[in-house]
């Protein structure tokens, strides 16, 4: 298995950050042929989504999460900025991982699919992402 961890600066705003290019570079460096790419975010307040980006879906996802997980809800988990409890519920809806098949060194994503870090936690501006390639 080939694995690496890197950091992403997400800043102080909610973000959907496209990781697809970085994943492709990782697979090339790993000499990937056939197998699985596993993307893991080791945080209690972030997730990984496979979705279309650039056509508004990323903004739609953040809007949907705001509607499903409003900051003004009476969250029991209350440390951090107001409404931070919702960030700890996020991984139940957007899991902190994704596994993508790899064939002939390429991720088998659909035409418009991208692999994205989803981060609504404005209290933590730096995130770690672990990429692992398991050869088939």
């Amino acid at each position: 298995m080939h694995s690496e961890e890197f950091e992403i600066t997400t800043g102080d705003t909610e973000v959907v950050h496209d990781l697809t290019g970085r994943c492709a570079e990782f697979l090339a460096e790993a000499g990937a042929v056939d197998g699985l790419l596993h993307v893991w975010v080791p945080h209690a307040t972030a997730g990984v989504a496979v979705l279309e980006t650039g056509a508004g879906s990323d903004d739609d996802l953040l809007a949907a999460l705001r509607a499903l997980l409003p900051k003004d809800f009476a969250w029991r988990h209350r440390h951090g900025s107001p409404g931070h409890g919702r960030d700890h519920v996020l991984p139940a809806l957007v899991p902190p991982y994704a596994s993508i098949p790899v064939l002939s060194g390429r991720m088998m994503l659909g035409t418009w699919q991208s692999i994205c870090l989803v981060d609504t936690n404005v209290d933590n501006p730096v995130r770690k992402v672990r990429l692992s390639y398991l050869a088939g």
Side-chain angles (χ1 to χ4, degrees), residues 69-122:
L69 305 170
K71 285 189 179 226
D72 60 355
F73 184 76
W75 299 104
R76 291 183 182 172
H77 186 101
R78 293 202 175 141
H79 79 272
S81 62
H84 176 64
R86 78 185 197 115
D87 301 324
H88 286 274
V89 176
L90 172 81
L93 301 174
V94 181
Y97 61 87
S99 292
I100 295 91
V102 177
L103 295 174
S104 301
R106 295 184 41 175
M107 294 173 282
M108 293 292 98
L109 294 169
T111 302
W112 304 111
Q113 289 180 318
S114 296
I115 304 164
C116 299
L117 168 69
V118 180
D119 186 6
T120 60
N121 181 0
V122 299

Side-chain angles (χ1 to χ4, degrees), residues 11 17-18 29 32-33 36 51-52 64 86 98-99 105 121 133:
H17 183 88
D18 193 338
E29 291 167 5
V33 183
L36 286 175
L51 76 157
E52 178 182 9
R86 78 185 197 115
S99 292
N121 181 0
Y133 170 68

Side-chain angles (χ1 to χ4, degrees), residues 4 6 20-21 25 27-28 33 36-37 40 45 53 58 65 71 73 76 92-93 98 100 113 118 121:
E4 78 172 30
F6 60 94
T20 311
E25 291 171 11
L27 290 171
V33 183
L36 286 175
L37 169 66
W40 168 251
T45 59
T53 59
D58 36 357
L65 290 171
K71 285 189 179 226
F73 184 76
R76 291 183 182 172
L93 301 174
I100 295 91
Q113 289 180 318
V118 180
N121 181 0

Side-chain angles (χ1 to χ4, degrees), residues 50-68:
V50 177
L51 76 157
E52 178 182 9
T53 59
S57 296
D58 36 357
D59 292 329
D60 289 342
L61 174 58
L62 291 174
L65 290 171
R66 279 188 222 92
L68 288 169

